[in-house]
Amino acid sequence: MSVLVLVLAVSAACCLGFGFALQQNAAQHAPLGDFLSPRLLLDLVRVPRWLAGMGLMVVGMVLGALALGGGELTLVEPLLATNLLFALALSRVQTRQRLGRQGWAGLVLLAGGVTAFLVAGEPRGGSTVTDPVRHWLIVGGMLGLSVLLTAGAGRCRLTWGPTLLAVAAGLAYGVQDALTRVSGRRFLAGGPAELLTGWQPYAVVVLGVTGLILVQSAFETAPLRRSLPALTATQPLAGIACGVGFLGDRLRADAGALAWEAGGLAAVVTGIVLLGLHPAMPQGTGASGRAHDLQRR
């Protein structure tokens, strides 16, 4: 593993984690009528704390793109999943909660799961799959599922809606990471001309804006613990599926390695859930709390 890729990926996770925590703190006060609407971003852009969180998120995405340019998607994605550790660290400072058994268990599972997956899988690059059917089947399946989850979230936005939106955003961001990797390859192969003549960089922008609206709508309607764990768990799984599915990433495929890889990913998801449900994560009021207050009045 390149030390530079490691530093870039962990730095990206740090910026993303801090940025998500600041964004949710601001988004929970947004008007209820902005749910799943671009107006939500127009309202939030006037909030300094949200702008600070957004700035950190942009820096994190740039660092993540640089890491993807130098490393394989199956290597970078698990490292980016550690952003929840940094979100928890900021929230812990704000709430002054101890980690306790749950926090330490989540931390060990997340860090240990990432390590197990990378050591057992030994991610490495390979030849990009040129079969367009396979390419579009994977991308279309993930984005189609994202659309279905978003539609379902609109019907239960004060119950399961935030979690569904977070999963939908995670799928979109996973595909975005894969297309960012493809865009980087096009740029290295032919410079700006090669990059701008492909559809991938434009899809990256569209997916980024779409994912942002989904995430901010999830942050608006519920505490961070209801959305960030689902987002953090889904994005690397979607990215790894794209990396192996059509970017040519290779993992060790013997029985022992596959068992460790599956166990590592399961530990990552379990650790993310434990950390996301930790009392140190801000509960906030969320839209559901504001709606309940209005009903009482």
Side-chain angles (χ1 to χ4, degrees), residues 6-7 73 84 87 89 173 220 282:
L6 174 63
V7 171
L73 196 63
L84 191 63
Y173 281 146
E220 176 194 24

Side-chain angles (χ1 to χ4, degrees), residues 107-289:
L107 190 153
V108 170
L109 284 170
L110 177 54
V114 169
T115 302
F117 178 82
L118 295 180
V119 172
E122 298 180 2
R124 54 200 182 278
S127 301
T128 302
V129 176
T130 57
D131 181 6
V133 175
R134 183 173 173 180
H135 185 120
W136 287 110
L137 186 63
I138 296 173
V139 173
M142 289 189 180
L143 295 183
L145 180 57
S146 180
V147 171
L148 291 176
L149 290 172
T150 302
R155 298 181 180 180
C156 54
R157 64 178 183 174
L158 298 182
T159 52
W160 287 97
T163 303
L164 296 179
L165 286 178
V167 174
L171 291 170
Y173 281 146
V175 175
Q176 182 194 37
D177 289 343
L179 297 182
T180 298
R181 174 69 174 159
V182 174
S183 298
R185 288 179 176 178
R186 292 180 64 90
F187 181 79
L188 292 176
E194 178 72 14
L195 173 66
L196 297 176
T197 53
W199 59 269
Q200 290 88 352
Y202 307 103
V204 167
V205 174
V206 172
L207 288 172
V209 175
T210 302
L212 185 61
I213 294 174
L214 294 175
V215 168
Q216 300 308 318
S217 294
F219 288 170
E220 176 194 24
T221 51
L224 200 63
R225 63 176 63 185
R226 294 266 304 279
S227 54
L228 190 55
L231 171 65
T232 306
T234 304
Q235 182 174 349
L237 296 179
I240 290 171
C242 289
V244 175
F246 63 85
L247 289 181
D249 289 6
R250 291 180 295 169
L251 297 169
R252 288 179 57 192
D254 56 273
L258 288 175
W260 276 102
E261 291 161 24
L265 291 178
V268 168
V269 173
T270 304
I272 286 170
V273 172
L274 288 176
L275 291 174
L277 296 177
H278 193 274
M281 295 297 277
Q283 298 186 27
T285 54
S288 58

Side-chain angles (χ1 to χ4, degrees), residues 37-46 50 209 212-213 216:
S37 169
R39 291 195 310 272
L40 176 59
L41 301 183
L42 297 177
D43 285 334
L44 290 174
V45 78
R46 293 175 287 186
W50 186 84
V209 175
L212 185 61
I213 294 174
Q216 300 308 318

